[in-house]
């Protein structure tokens, strides 16, 4: 099995050496959603499982019932397929089941069992933009960044950057053309197929930052810096603060067309390993929006409220907008 170590070179090149609602501004739709707001928001909330809300009608429902063995899920960029990653761990065995299914009829498209080299039962998986590959995340150094074909066939593995082990909280995001965006320490790195060379996009010289998101076009990033959300171009230029409040905003997600941002507002810790936040949407126009839960919000801020309800939706885990 081929393993790859990521080596950062001085400058901007890297080489890989292989070892082998608020009605403000709304113009239609129930609950004040603009008619131009489209797609489906999927979000994890407590013991209710994975919920979803369709836009712009605001109709909500359960997408995946609560399952304690669900490591994570993903939705294809075209909204056709659902990927689930389930821990089937038993005594002495650590199988992770990956299932790709058709959302419309529930039929299974691909299914395989993955065995982590580090015997890790908590791996996650995410679909590439063209639905052909899966990147596997793990907090075990033996797993590193693993790239599989969607049928489970092994493609490659990267285990360290500059000799430093990859952490579970290091983000790995797909880009158009099946390139990967890797977040490691203070670096944002682009790794292109066949995953043997890459470029350093930006060094983030901030004490507190993270929760990076990329738009579907692959030319803009959203990121939390300290307590607020910023956007910037893929090369790190044009950095703009786009949220403000007396609280904290985090976990941004772009709308499929890139015209809006879903943000977690009033982000707060609920326990040793738990967090929660309220869902609000802002236009992605480079302007700064006040999303405070108490102070008046900037016109154009849209709270995510389900049709027939009055309370803003909250989440405490994974969020996807497709």
């Amino acid at each position: 099995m081929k393993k790859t170590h990521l080596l950062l070179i001085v400058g901007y090149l890297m080489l890989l050496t292989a070892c082998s609602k608020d009605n403000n501004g709304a113009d239609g739709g129930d609950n004040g959603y603009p008619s131009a707001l489209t797609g489906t928001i999927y979000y994890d909330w407590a013991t209710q499982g994975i919920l979803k809300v369709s836009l712009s009608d605001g109709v909500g429902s359960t997408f995946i019932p609560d399952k304690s063995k669900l490591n994570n899920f993903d939705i294809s960029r075209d909204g056709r397929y659902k990927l689930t990653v389930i821990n089937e761990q038993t005594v002495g065995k650590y199988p992770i089941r990956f299932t790709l299914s058709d959302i419309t009829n529930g039929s299974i498209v691909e299914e395989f069992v993955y065995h982590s080299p580090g015997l890790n039962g908590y791996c996650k998986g995410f679909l590439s933009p063209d639905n052909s590959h899966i990147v596997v995340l793990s907090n075990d150094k033996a797993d590193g960044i693993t790239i599989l074909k969607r049928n489970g066939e092994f493609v490659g593995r990267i285990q360290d950057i500059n000799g430093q082990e990859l952490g579970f909280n290091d983000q790995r995001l797909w880009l158009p053309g099946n390139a990967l965006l890797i977040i490691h320490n203070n670096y944002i790195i682009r790794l292109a197929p066949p995953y043997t060379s890459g470029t350093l996009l930006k060094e983030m010289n901030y004490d507190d930052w993270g929760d990076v998101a990329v738009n579907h076009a692959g030319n803009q990033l959203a990121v939390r810096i300290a307590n607020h959300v910023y956007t910037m171009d893929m090369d790190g230029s044009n950095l703009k603060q786009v949220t403000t409040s007396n609280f904290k905003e985090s976990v941004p997600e772009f709308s499929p067309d890139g015209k809006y941002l879903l943000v977690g507002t009033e982000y707060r810790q609920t326990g040793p390993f738990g967090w929660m936040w309220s869902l609000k949407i802002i236009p992605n126009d480079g302007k700064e929006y006040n999303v405070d839960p108490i102070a008046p919000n900037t016109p154009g801020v849209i709270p995510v409220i389900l049709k027939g309800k009055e309370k803003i939706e909250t989440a405490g885990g994974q969020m996807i907008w497709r």
Side-chain angles (χ1 to χ4, degrees):
M1 182 178 292
K2 181 181 291 186
K3 297 178 182 178
T4 305
H5 301 274
L6 190 62
L7 178 64
L8 182 63
I9 306 299
V10 176
Y12 287 90
L13 293 178
M14 292 178 301
L15 300 176
L16 300 176
T17 57
C19 300
S20 56
K21 283 164 157 250
D22 179 62
N23 289 327
N24 297 326
D27 60 359
D30 294 339
N31 293 30
Y33 293 119
S35 57
L37 204 60
T38 60
T40 301
I41 295 173
Y42 303 85
Y43 54 105
D44 187 354
W45 175 233
T47 59
Q48 297 181 36
I50 310 302
L51 308 180
K52 68 175 184 177
V53 53
S54 61
L55 302 170
S56 62
D57 57 19
V59 174
S61 61
T62 298
F63 182 61
I64 302 176
D66 182 49
K67 293 181 179 179
S68 59
K69 292 186 176 182
L70 180 69
N71 287 356
N72 84 293
F73 75 102
D74 196 14
I75 306 295
S76 62
R77 299 298 191 278
D78 56 14
R80 294 178 58 191
Y81 302 112
K82 171 182 68 176
L83 176 69
T84 57
V85 184
I86 295 177
N87 176 9
E88 296 186 339
Q89 181 176 341
T90 57
V91 177
K93 297 182 180 180
Y94 303 86
I96 311 297
R97 183 170 297 277
F98 285 72
T99 304
L100 184 67
S101 58
D102 189 304
I103 290 179
T104 302
N105 56 32
S107 62
I108 295 177
V109 178
E110 300 281 3
E111 190 168 43
F112 63 90
V113 171
Y114 172 74
H115 294 276
S116 157
L119 301 181
N120 191 339
Y122 193 66
C123 297
K124 297 181 179 182
F126 297 91
L127 275 171
S128 63
D130 68 356
N131 305 325
S132 65
H133 289 70
I134 295 171
V135 62
V136 181
L137 282 66
S138 170
N139 63 349
D140 193 290
K141 65 180 181 180
D143 295 332
I145 300 173
T146 302
I147 302 165
L148 308 173
K149 291 184 179 179
R150 76 176 196 182
N151 63 0
E153 181 181 340
F154 180 82
V155 175
R157 178 171 292 127
I158 301 167
Q159 292 188 291
D160 62 70
I161 300 177
N162 278 8
Q164 297 180 354
E165 297 172 357
L166 295 163
F168 188 63
N169 291 325
D170 290 350
Q171 290 182 263
R172 299 111 202 210
L173 306 172
W174 284 110
L175 296 171
N178 289 353
L180 281 170
L181 191 77
I182 302 172
I183 313 302
H184 180 67
N185 292 333
N186 280 346
Y187 300 115
I188 300 178
I189 301 162
R190 184 181 187 274
L191 181 62
Y195 313 108
T196 56
S197 64
T199 56
L200 175 62
L201 297 182
K202 186 173 177 63
E203 182 176 359
M204 298 289 288
N205 295 313
Y206 302 96
D207 293 332
D208 181 16
W209 70 281
D211 301 307
V212 178
V214 60
N215 67 348
H216 285 207
N219 57 15
Q220 190 180 30
L221 299 174
V223 59
R224 175 189 58 79
I225 300 177
N227 287 342
H228 306 298
V229 172
Y230 292 68
T231 59
M232 61 182 174
D233 294 341
M234 185 59 68
D235 63 0
S237 63
N238 201 26
L239 182 69
K240 295 180 179 179
Q241 182 176 341
V242 296
T243 68
T244 188
S245 74
N246 292 315
F247 294 80
K248 181 177 181 178
E249 299 88 55
S250 191
V251 293
E253 281 291 320
F254 286 95
S255 63
D257 61 8
K259 295 180 179 179
Y260 294 90
L261 272 174
L262 172 67
V263 293
T265 66
E266 199 182 353
Y267 187 93
R268 63 269 194 198
Q269 191 162 3
T270 60
F273 305 104
W275 290 264
M276 67 179 292
W277 52 87
S278 300
L279 277 59
K280 290 186 178 181
I281 297 170
I282 64 171
N284 181 27
D285 55 9
K287 298 178 181 178
E288 185 176 305
Y289 288 85
N290 190 317
V291 293
D292 197 280
I294 300 173
N297 286 182
T298 307
V301 174
I302 308 164
V304 177
I305 300 175
L306 301 185
K307 185 175 182 179
K309 295 188 177 182
E310 297 181 355
K311 187 178 179 180
I312 298 177
E313 288 298 289
T314 51
Q318 194 176 355
M319 292 200 309
I320 296 174
W321 194 346
R322 296 287 189 257

